[in-house]
Amino acid sequence: MKAPNAYSADCPTRQILDRVGDKWAVLILLLLREDPMRFNRLRRTIEGISQKMLSQVLKSLERDGLVRRRAIATVPVTVEYSITPLGVTLAKAVDPLRDWAECHLKEVLAAQRRYDGQTKAAA
Amino acid sequence: MKAPNAYSADCPTRQILDRVGDKWAVLILLLLREDPMRFNRLRRTIEGISQKMLSQVLKSLERDGLVRRRAIATVPVTVEYSITPLGVTLAKAVDPLRDWAECHLKEVLAAQRRYDGQTKAAA
DNA sequence: CTGAATCCACTCGGATACTG
DNA sequence: CAGTATCCGAGTGGATTCAG
């Protein structure tokens, strides 16, 4: 850490935050922490993700060393995705956020209603 | 918590994750936790954000009750943004992620190099 | 079953110009 | 100073089709 102006793109936090910010990445990570899964199983479980996105996100997660892909040469190919130890540590770092979400979502929604009310009143 | 299939959009985690995933939101939150700031000060500090995005993100953060906007009727208008107590709790929940980023970024980068190497070799 | 490739609509986000 | 409004290029992501 040099200048406090690590609020530039070179900040590691930024890079990780971008990953975490990914609409699906963390979700998949949390899912795989529960159980290893096959492609279509993930697809069905998440329900809302397109096959393109799933494929894409899985690849990037694998690239980051957060998820492991294991192909089994059965008759129709079987591919199993599982979380890596590194992925587990990230998932753990995400847990507080999960907890925060569950604890404070109501407050956030309330704040939104309040804000929208004032805004509409002003209009 | 009902079915484990809270991996739908109705999951609070998803909503918060979307916020956190925002390219700038968390960054601004962490900045404002250090010090309240005026608009242009934020703009200069972050360096890379457009005033459109800054304006937009600040508004949504205010809407969520995470940030407070205080306008002072001076000659040229002065507006100060500060973090709310709720915002502080969210920032705290993000800290583990920051730590993770700093601790494990190298591993992630290494994994990426490894992956890219194999990929290129295969091609 | 597990993807890759293509097409395309839509949104994000930057640059610019203008207002109070 | 603190924004808003408009334009527009680039990237995101869904639907569909093809392949191993």
Side-chain angles (χ1 to χ4, degrees):
Chain A
M1 47 199 90
K2 37 185 179 180
N5 189 358
Y7 292 96
S8 305
D10 59 331
C11 175
T13 308
R14 283 283 292 277
Q15 320 210 20
I16 299 305
L17 238 36
D18 276 359
R19 285 269 151 235
V20 173
D22 188 287
K23 191 176 178 183
W24 306 108
V26 170
L27 209 60
I28 293 176
L29 214 59
L30 295 179
L31 254 173
L32 289 179
R33 178 168 57 168
E34 305 298 318
D35 281 303
M37 279 200 194
R38 309 240 309 270
F39 190 86
N40 276 345
R41 174 86 186 286
L42 278 168
R43 193 146 131 68
R44 270 177 278 112
T45 304
I46 295 190
E47 180 110 30
I49 193 170
S50 67
Q51 164 274 339
K52 178 185 177 178
M53 280 302 100
L54 179 55
S55 171
Q56 193 172 298
V57 173
L58 282 172
K59 212 186 295 184
S60 80
L61 285 173
E62 191 197 354
R63 192 174 102 99
D64 291 350
L66 300 169
V67 152
R68 183 160 148 262
R69 180 185 189 274
R70 203 166 57 100
I72 308 161
T74 51
V75 183
V77 188
T78 300
V79 179
E80 192 182 69
Y81 290 91
S82 54
I83 195 169
T84 65
L86 184 61
V88 172
T89 65
L90 176 53
K92 278 199 186 112
V94 170
D95 282 334
L97 224 46
R98 258 191 120 164
D99 297 342
W100 191 93
E102 286 169 10
C103 288
H104 299 285
L105 183 64
K106 280 184 185 172
E107 299 175 55
V108 170
L109 293 178
Q112 288 179 358
R113 274 192 302 274
R114 213 176 313 129
Y115 182 92
D116 293 344
Q118 289 179 10
T119 299
K120 187 164 60 182
Chain B
M1 46 198 91
K2 36 186 178 181
N5 189 357
Y7 293 95
S8 304
D10 59 330
C11 175
T13 308
R14 284 283 290 276
Q15 320 210 21
I16 299 305
L17 239 35
D18 276 0
R19 285 270 150 235
V20 173
D22 187 287
K23 191 176 177 182
W24 306 108
V26 169
L27 211 59
I28 292 175
L29 213 60
L30 295 179
L31 254 173
L32 289 179
R33 178 168 56 168
E34 306 296 319
D35 282 304
M37 279 201 196
R38 309 241 306 272
F39 188 87
N40 276 344
R41 174 85 187 288
L42 277 168
R43 192 146 128 69
R44 270 178 277 111
T45 303
I46 295 189
E47 180 109 30
I49 192 172
S50 67
Q51 111 286 20
K52 178 185 178 178
M53 280 303 99
L54 179 55
S55 172
Q56 193 172 298
V57 173
L58 282 172
K59 213 185 293 184
S60 81
L61 285 174
E62 190 196 355
R63 192 173 103 99
D64 291 350
L66 300 170
V67 152
R68 184 160 148 260
R69 179 186 188 274
R70 203 165 57 99
I72 307 160
T74 51
V75 183
V77 189
T78 300
V79 180
E80 192 182 69
Y81 290 92
S82 55
I83 196 169
T84 64
L86 184 61
V88 172
T89 66
L90 176 52
K92 279 199 185 110
V94 171
D95 282 335
L97 224 46
R98 259 191 120 165
D99 298 341
W100 191 93
E102 287 169 10
C103 289
H104 299 285
L105 183 63
K106 281 184 185 173
E107 298 175 55
V108 171
L109 293 178
Q112 288 179 357
R113 273 192 302 275
R114 213 176 313 129
Y115 183 92
D116 293 345
Q118 288 179 10
T119 299
K120 188 163 57 181

